[in-house]
Amino acid sequence: MKIRLTTRPVVLFGGLAVLALLVFLPMRLVLGLVGLGNYGLSARMVSGPVWYGTLIEARIGDLPLGDIRAGLSPFQLLLGRVRLGVSGAPQGDRPGLTGAISTSRYSQGLDDMTGSIPTGAVFGPLPINRIDLEGVTLRFDSGACAVAQGRVKAQLSGSIAAIALPQAMSGTVRCEGGALIVPLLSQAGTEGVTLNIRGNGRYRATLDIETSDPAVAQKLGLVGFQPNGAGYRLSTEGQF
């Protein structure tokens, strides 16, 4: 039995060409077209098609993400939303990132992101060297925090003013006054870090230490801590 194609050859081949273009469209080109770079996403090299590409030495602002596999969701594209699923390989004792980066005309954020991000000196002089995400979902609408859920743990290193600090602090993210608030507390409850992050990438980070020891208070004052309630606070500001 013969099957007759009623579609004209020029239309058929044109449709196949469009389909091939979509299937093999380079990830590098699409990232530029959808403007994810405007939200701080960059990479030393991008390879592969849009549905299963690779970002080598990817970063969000000054935060390194490592090498990650990435692919756009076709269903979300139909809804006018760019959703870039990411999957990173573990690096040493750090788990790779898994989740998604999403953006539309008026919003951007993270979807169910889990993994570890080294921070280096981004929050200096605060000695935070790593941020661990656990099921973190964020959305900024027109620059204001609209959705925030999930847990964050900060890994700290060394000491400050010759005072030993806890190795880790953790807390649950929330929106407050249009900003993303990440309140982190030590197990003892006497040390805490609070991150206040705006939709434009500006942040304010504070380290609070409670103490009633005059000698400790004097050491903290010498490195810039200011009295704050029952303790002392050191603040820093910057942009990712």
Side-chain angles (χ1 to χ4, degrees), residues 210-232:
E210 292 184 13
T211 182
S212 57
D213 187 333
V216 172
Q218 183 180 21
K219 290 179 181 180
L220 293 175
L222 291 175
V223 295
F225 279 78
Q226 299 296 321
N228 181 61
Y232 292 81

Side-chain angles (χ1 to χ4, degrees), residues 62-85:
D62 292 328
L63 299 176
L65 307 181
D67 299 342
I68 57 176
R69 301 284 293 176
L72 286 184
S73 166
F75 176 72
Q76 293 294 328
L77 282 178
L78 293 176
L79 300 178
R81 184 169 180 248
V82 175
R83 187 177 189 273
L84 186 70

